[in-house]
Amino acid sequence: MQNCPFSVVESRWWSTGNHSVRPLFEAVAALHYDNPSSFLYDMFVNKASLATVFAARGRDKRTEVIYLASHGNENNIGPDEDNVISRTEVRNSLINANANGQVKGLFFGTCLTGNAAMAKFFLENASTKLEWMAGYRDSVHWIDGTAIDMIFFSKLAELYIKNKSKKKGKLSARAMAHTAATNLVKLVPGAYSTYGFNIYFHENNRLTSMFQ
């Protein structure tokens, strides 16, 4: 049985309650890997715990895609105003954790963070070793966003499973992510038009994306 290559790294959403994305990934993992616990799940509360989680995921020999779930804006993420984590702190933690290049993709399950400036900040620094970054340029309704994310990761899981069984013509992590995103927007055009979903790459010395 294959291990799921996805890791969910999530902060608490509300001080009075919490609506975790974990059950959505359990559904994806159960459907595609016959095991709802086949993906890895961690929570963080501040920049120190995020760095610790990233370090663990960067050396676990299975995580290729990190889904980072938290509140966010154009430059920062974090569970609350007292624990804001700047994009520099997130990037530095990822650089330190991903020295061997095991993590190929970073999906920001946050509002506003998936913009071109953020993608440039992460992908044009070769030390992150990332092949792609995805997220939302605009504010996203929690239910809508998690539903969109679930579709993307379901499509991506299908591609990873098929790719694993290939002896020739294996797809790169970048190609699989691009195909999953393409399949997503075919099903849910509003992912881009309403919320500004985009997926970014860095190739030929420039930033590229599915949507300009």
Side-chain angles (χ1 to χ4, degrees), residues 2 4 22 27 33 35 47-49 64 77 82 90 93 107 111 144 174:
Q2 294 184 33
C4 179
R22 186 171 188 170
Y33 295 92
N35 178 2
K47 64 181 180 181
S49 55
E64 291 197 25
I77 68 160
D82 294 326
V90 176
S93 294
F107 193 115
C111 291
D144 291 357
R174 178 225 182 275

Side-chain angles (χ1 to χ4, degrees), residues 107 114 134-138 140 148-149 152 177 180-182 184-185 188 190-200 210-211:
F107 193 115
Y136 299 92
R137 181 193 63 223
D138 303 322
V140 187
I148 292 168
D149 298 347
F152 174 83
T182 300
L184 162 65
V185 295
V188 190
Y192 170 70
S193 61
T194 302
Y195 294 123
F197 169 81
N198 212 340
I199 185 165
Y200 298 90
M210 178 173 288
F211 302 104

Side-chain angles (χ1 to χ4, degrees), residues 82-203:
D82 294 326
N83 291 287
V84 172
I85 307 170
S86 72
R87 67 179 190 173
T88 300
E89 291 166 334
V90 176
R91 189 182 70 177
N92 288 347
S93 294
L94 182 63
I95 289 171
N96 291 335
N98 201 34
N100 64 2
Q102 177 185 292
V103 179
K104 310 298 184 185
L106 177 63
F107 193 115
F108 279 99
T110 62
C111 291
L112 304 169
T113 314
N115 56 71
M118 184 71 80
K120 182 176 182 179
F121 185 75
F122 275 80
L123 296 178
E124 291 195 345
N125 187 316
S127 297
T128 65
K129 307 287 180 71
L130 291 175
E131 293 188 21
W132 60 270
M133 192 201 94
Y136 299 92
R137 181 193 63 223
D138 303 322
S139 293
V140 187
H141 187 279
W142 192 91
I143 292 177
D144 291 357
T146 50
I148 292 168
D149 298 347
M150 185 178 181
I151 294 171
F152 174 83
F153 278 94
S154 179
K155 298 300 182 184
L156 189 57
E158 291 175 355
L159 290 162
Y160 262 96
I161 290 169
K162 290 179 181 177
N163 209 47
K164 187 79 171 180
S165 64
K166 288 183 177 181
K167 293 183 179 180
K168 296 181 179 180
K170 285 184 177 290
L171 299 175
S172 66
R174 178 225 182 275
M176 288 189 287
H178 188 280
T179 300
T182 300
N183 292 337
L184 162 65
V185 295
K186 286 179 180 178
L187 287 172
V188 190
Y192 170 70
S193 61
T194 302
Y195 294 123
F197 169 81
N198 212 340
I199 185 165
Y200 298 90
F201 313 95
H202 190 258
E203 48 202 358

Side-chain angles (χ1 to χ4, degrees), residues 1-27:
M1 181 181 296
Q2 294 184 33
N3 285 322
C4 179
F6 310 149
S7 287
V8 177
V9 180
E10 184 177 33
S11 71
R12 190 173 183 86
W13 293 96
W14 324 111
S15 60
T16 57
N18 200 41
H19 306 296
S20 176
V21 301
R22 186 171 188 170
L24 301 180
F25 279 86
E26 288 176 342

